Amino acid sequence: MCLTGVDYFSTLGYQPGIAALAAGALSPVATLLLVALTLFGALPTYRAVAEQSPNGLGSLSMLERLLPGWGGKLLVLFLLGFVATAFIVTITLSAADATAHILHNPFVPHSWAGAQVPVTLVLIAALGGVFLAGFSEAISIAVVLVATYLLLNLVVVGTAVQRVLAHPEQVTSWQNVLAADYSSPVAMVAVALYVMPKLALGLSGFETGVAVMPLVKGKLAERIRARASC
């Protein structure tokens, strides 16, 4: 679960920045819609996909069964190209975001200021080295990273809640900005839905999760139930 969740978790790590650039003051609303899409859209969909492809082939195998012959094979090959592209984009974007955090850390030497590309390439190479070392090693590292990530998120969320409680006028100012920029709540939702594709990069993690279902221990029904709960 941690290994397949890294894709989604990494997107959540830089999602606030993407939302702020794409939606501005509307970014909290857009983020809530993304969470709703995940819980009530992607999760039920991939629960059904897990039941239909228990051997781990995911939605691509379902499409191949619907279109047998060369037509189905060409469609799957075409879609795999998109999956590979999304995978590379996600890795690169996550590594670049990690580089920004590293270089802006006050404990990092100032001489590294212009080393964005080398640091990003080193991080990507390290990720490749982890998978070359072995799948079990990758899972072990993912568990540690995800646990640390969730712990740090508790700190961030707790600090944010404390700041809002200490300065409630900031919430009032935000509401005033929304009321001035948008005519109604319907307009807010419409704009949030328009920028949604820019915020939903991590949803590809669901397909990755279904793809590794054979690694879940247990009988077929147990593997489906475990993967769906993840």
Side-chain angles (χ1 to χ4, degrees), residues 11 15 18-20 22-23 27 30-31 34 192 195-203:
T11 303
Q15 193 274 337
I18 296 177
S27 57
T31 300
L34 177 62
V195 301
M196 184 64 66
K198 298 181 180 180
L199 312 181
L201 294 175
L203 292 180

Side-chain angles (χ1 to χ4, degrees), residues 83-225:
V83 173
T85 302
F87 187 64
I88 296 300
V89 169
T90 303
I91 289 176
T92 306
L93 191 58
S94 299
D97 187 70
T99 298
H101 283 284
I102 291 173
L103 297 183
H104 284 86
N105 192 306
F107 295 102
V108 173
H110 294 290
S111 58
W112 289 25
Q116 291 90 342
V117 174
V119 173
T120 301
L121 292 177
V122 168
L123 291 176
I124 294 175
L127 176 63
V130 168
F131 281 97
L132 288 176
F135 200 76
S136 298
E137 287 75 7
I139 292 177
S140 300
I141 294 176
V143 171
V144 174
L145 291 178
V146 169
T148 304
Y149 172 85
L150 295 177
L151 179 62
L152 291 176
N153 267 264
L154 288 177
V155 175
V156 172
V157 172
T159 303
V161 171
Q162 182 182 15
R163 181 177 180 85
V164 168
L165 294 177
H167 302 279
E169 68 278 1
Q170 293 183 350
V171 178
T172 304
S173 299
W174 171 65
Q175 293 174 336
N176 293 334
V177 170
L178 289 182
D181 291 345
Y182 303 97
S183 58
S184 66
V186 175
M188 298 179 192
V189 173
V191 174
L193 290 175
Y194 176 75
V195 301
M196 184 64 66
K198 298 181 180 180
L199 312 181
L201 294 175
L203 292 180
S204 59
F206 282 93
E207 181 71 18
T208 307
V210 175
V212 298
M213 274 186 60
L215 298 176
V216 180
K217 293 182 178 180
K219 297 181 180 179
L220 187 59
E222 295 172 340
R223 287 196 284 128
I224 293 174
R225 184 170 58 253

Side-chain angles (χ1 to χ4, degrees), residues 3-106:
L3 182 62
T4 58
V6 164
D7 187 12
Y8 192 75
F9 292 147
S10 63
T11 303
L12 293 180
Y14 47 74
Q15 193 274 337
I18 296 177
L21 292 174
L26 198 62
S27 57
V29 178
T31 300
L32 288 176
L33 287 177
L34 177 62
V35 173
L37 174 64
T38 302
L39 294 178
F40 303 109
L43 186 58
T45 299
Y46 275 96
R47 186 185 296 271
V49 171
E51 294 176 352
Q52 294 295 323
S53 56
N55 294 320
L57 297 178
S59 58
L60 294 179
S61 67
M62 298 172 63
L63 291 173
E64 188 178 17
R65 290 198 299 268
L66 292 174
L67 295 172
W70 281 105
K73 296 183 184 300
L74 290 175
L75 176 62
V76 170
L77 184 62
F78 182 74
L79 293 176
L80 283 175
F82 279 101
V83 173
T85 302
F87 187 64
I88 296 300
V89 169
T90 303
I91 289 176
T92 306
L93 191 58
S94 299
D97 187 70
T99 298
H101 283 284
I102 291 173
L103 297 183
H104 284 86
N105 192 306

